[in-house]
């Protein structure tokens, strides 16, 4: 094969924990009788609340084909390349086994919001029932960066403590210092404003939490919150890392033909261009080899075929159609998919037809 698949999960293969019927049919076409994939496949999800192996096991069960963790790309997977942060004390926000996830990615000194709250009991006071009895702060380490893995459960606690860390240059027990510009680095995974589960309407995603954090920071300081890196779809970093995984699969199977085309099968129409994000991670990857990436939009996800694209792109940030992150440029051409199909099974059929590929 001279092409590979990048599959979104939510809204494409599943809705919440419920499989989309077309997914199982599609994946029977992608493997041979021994269960080996006929083309390179990577699952690209903006989820960040578990380890790759757990997601691979879930997908294997749902789709009825064996999937390895090397085929799974979580929103946080590219953090493996950010080695300059791995030795530093980092505050991690999200849910799931955060310490296990951070350590699996290479971080040696991760600290959770819950641990920070225990060490600084005076900081978290919104919930009167959780206000502390012990009033002594016992934490003196300097936090050197913040990693946002995904939406947390207690937003008020995470928002408060992250702001505390940013406004004290990493010493959250100290008074705020408004001259700490630039603030310590913030790395964020998954900018999805909303995502599709079993409910009839989309649900808040990590992007909504980030909107809250950005606006609180600006309201207090008058300055914009800056990100050292943004990853997860639709960032350029995520697709470059996904292509790296596709090439690794092809090399492992000893497929000689270079991968020319990537087909990104997703439930959202938007791709974006990064604006002013640090790109020093690019040196960690071999140069991109695929000539093109084609988007195949399925109609089982967030996508609404009746939403119009705004004509004036300068106003696009306030338009409901653009749910992308603040730091991504909106370009109407990137919102238009190359192909629109009913579901993932139709997407596989279409790509086989376009590539003249007969398994």
């Amino acid at each position: 094969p001279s092409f590979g698949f990048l599959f979104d999960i939510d809204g494409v293969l599943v809705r919440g924990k419920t499989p989309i019927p077309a997914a199982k049919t599609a994946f029977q076409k992608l493997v041979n009788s021994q269960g080996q994939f006929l083309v390179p496949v990577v699952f690209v999800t903006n989820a960040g609340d578990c380890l790759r192996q757990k997601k691979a096991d879930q997908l294997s069960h749902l789709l009825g084909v064996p999937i390895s963790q090397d085929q799974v790309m979580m929103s946080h997977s590219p953090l493996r390349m950010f080695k300059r942060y791995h030795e530093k004390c980092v505050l991690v926000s999200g849910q799931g086994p955060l310490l296990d996830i951070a350590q699996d990615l290479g971080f040696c000194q991760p600290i959770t919001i819950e641990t920070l709250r225990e060490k600084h009991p005076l900081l978290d006071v919104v919930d009167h029932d959780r206000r502390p009895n012990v009033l002594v702060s016992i934490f003196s380490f300097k936090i050197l960066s913040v990693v946002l893995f995904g939406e947390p459960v207690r937003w008020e606690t995470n928002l408060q403590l992250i702001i505390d860390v940013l406004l004290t240059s990493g010493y959250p027990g100290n008074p705020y210092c408004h001259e700490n510009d630039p603030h310590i680095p913030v790395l964020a995974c998954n900018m999805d404003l909303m995502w599709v589960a079993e409910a009839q309407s989309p649900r808040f995603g990590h992007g909504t939490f980030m909107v809250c954090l950005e606006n609180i920071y600006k309201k207090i300081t008058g300055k914009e919150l800056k990100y050292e890196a943004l990853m997860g779809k639709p960032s350029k970093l995520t697709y470059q890392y996904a292509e790296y995984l596709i090439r690794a699969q092809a090399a492992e199977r000893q497929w000689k033909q270079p991968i020319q085309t990537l087909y990104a099968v997703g439930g959202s129409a938007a791709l974006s261009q990064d604006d002013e994000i640090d790109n020093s991670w690019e040196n960690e990857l071999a140069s991109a080899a695929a000539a093109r990436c084609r988007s195949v939009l399925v109609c089982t996800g967030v996508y609404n075929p009746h939403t119009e694209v705004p004509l004036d792109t300068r106003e696009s940030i306030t338009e409901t159609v653009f749910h992308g992150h603040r730091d991504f440029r909106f370009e109407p051409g990137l919102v238009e998919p190359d192909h629109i199909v009913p579901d993932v099974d139709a997407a596989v059929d279409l790509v086989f037809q376009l590539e003249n590929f007969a398994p």
Side-chain angles (χ1 to χ4, degrees):
S2 61
F3 64 98
F5 280 102
L6 308 178
F7 285 106
D8 195 356
I9 296 175
D10 289 313
V12 177
L13 307 178
V14 296
R15 286 181 74 100
K17 293 192 168 97
T18 308
I20 290 169
K24 241 180 179 169
T25 315
F27 275 82
Q28 291 307 315
K29 298 172 182 175
L30 289 169
V31 295
N32 63 18
S33 55
Q34 286 81 46
Q36 287 183 308
F37 277 86
L38 300 164
V39 296
V41 166
V42 169
F43 298 89
V44 186
T45 176
N46 272 354
D49 59 349
C50 67
L51 294 162
R52 286 184 305 160
Q53 186 60 59
K54 182 177 179 185
K55 185 61 74 174
D57 292 344
Q58 288 172 351
L59 288 168
S60 300
H61 176 69
L62 284 167
L63 301 172
V65 296
I67 290 157
S68 78
Q69 66 169 3
D70 297 328
Q71 291 177 282
V72 175
M73 182 174 170
M74 310 295 288
S75 61
H76 48 63
S77 292
L79 283 168
R80 293 174 192 283
M81 297 185 297
F82 288 77
K83 294 186 174 70
R84 63 187 180 278
Y85 296 101
H86 287 177
E87 301 298 323
K88 297 176 180 176
C89 180
V90 301
L91 178 66
V92 294
S93 168
Q95 53 185 295
L98 289 176
L99 292 179
D100 291 342
I101 293 167
Q103 287 161 353
D104 183 62
L105 291 165
F107 292 99
C108 300
Q109 301 182 66
I111 290 170
T112 64
I113 294 281
E114 198 54 42
T115 298
L116 185 60
R117 182 181 164 275
E118 289 167 7
K119 304 293 187 188
H120 285 290
L122 293 175
L123 299 183
D124 182 26
V125 295
V126 171
D127 184 342
H128 291 223
D129 292 335
R130 295 217 312 170
R131 286 188 177 180
N133 298 317
V134 182
L135 300 180
V136 182
S137 292
I138 52 173
F139 184 77
S140 59
F141 291 105
K142 178 176 170 64
I143 293 170
L144 293 170
S145 62
V146 177
V147 179
L148 306 177
F149 280 119
E151 64 271 20
V153 176
R154 284 185 169 266
W155 286 31
E156 81 282 358
T157 298
N158 287 57
L159 290 167
Q160 177 71 77
L161 269 63
I162 292 166
I163 290 290
D164 288 339
V165 167
L166 295 178
L167 293 185
T168 59
S169 298
Y171 291 105
N174 288 359
Y176 285 177
C177 170
H178 289 285
E179 280 70 53
N180 69 334
D181 195 43
H183 55 70
I184 64 172
V186 179
L187 298 97
C189 315
N190 175 8
M191 294 81 66
D192 283 349
L193 190 72
M194 295 184 288
W195 65 288
V196 169
E198 285 92 347
Q200 293 297 309
S201 302
R203 303 293 84 201
F204 288 166
H206 190 216
T208 306
F209 176 81
M210 291 166 65
V211 167
C212 297
L213 180 65
E214 291 153 14
N215 281 281
I216 293 168
Y217 184 87
K218 186 169 185 179
K219 193 75 172 175
I220 293 173
T221 66
K223 297 170 182 167
E224 298 284 356
L225 178 73
K226 302 272 197 222
Y227 293 97
E228 191 77 5
L230 292 168
M231 61 205 75
K233 298 168 299 175
S235 74
K236 176 182 170 187
L237 164 56
T238 288
Y239 289 105
Q240 286 189 285
Y241 192 80
E243 186 191 350
Y244 163 76
L245 294 178
I246 288 276
R247 287 204 309 269
Q249 274 182 49
E252 187 183 340
R253 294 287 296 276
Q254 298 183 324
W255 286 326
K256 304 297 184 195
Q257 187 137 296
I259 302 298
Q260 297 288 341
T261 310
L262 299 178
Y263 290 94
V265 182
S268 165
L271 292 171
S272 298
Q273 293 291 329
D274 308 59
D275 259 355
E276 298 176 13
I277 302 297
D278 172 26
N279 286 341
S280 56
W281 44 264
E282 286 184 330
N283 299 328
E284 299 280 347
L285 295 176
S287 59
R292 56 201 159 264
C293 183
R294 300 274 184 254
S295 57
V296 183
L297 175 62
V298 300
C299 297
T300 48
V302 173
Y303 170 67
N304 178 353
H306 305 298
T307 304
E308 291 185 11
V309 174
L311 296 175
D312 186 349
T313 58
R314 291 170 301 180
E315 299 297 319
S316 64
I317 295 302
T318 59
E319 294 282 353
T320 55
V321 74
F322 184 59
H323 291 166
H325 187 263
R326 177 199 73 182
D327 293 349
F328 285 155
R329 292 198 307 277
F330 173 79
E331 296 185 18
L334 291 175
V335 177
E336 292 296 326
D338 293 298
H339 306 280
I340 301 177
V341 294
D343 55 38
V344 65
D345 187 38
V348 170
D349 287 344
L350 172 71
V351 170
F352 281 1
Q353 182 185 339
L354 291 171
E355 292 289 331
N356 198 20
F357 186 76

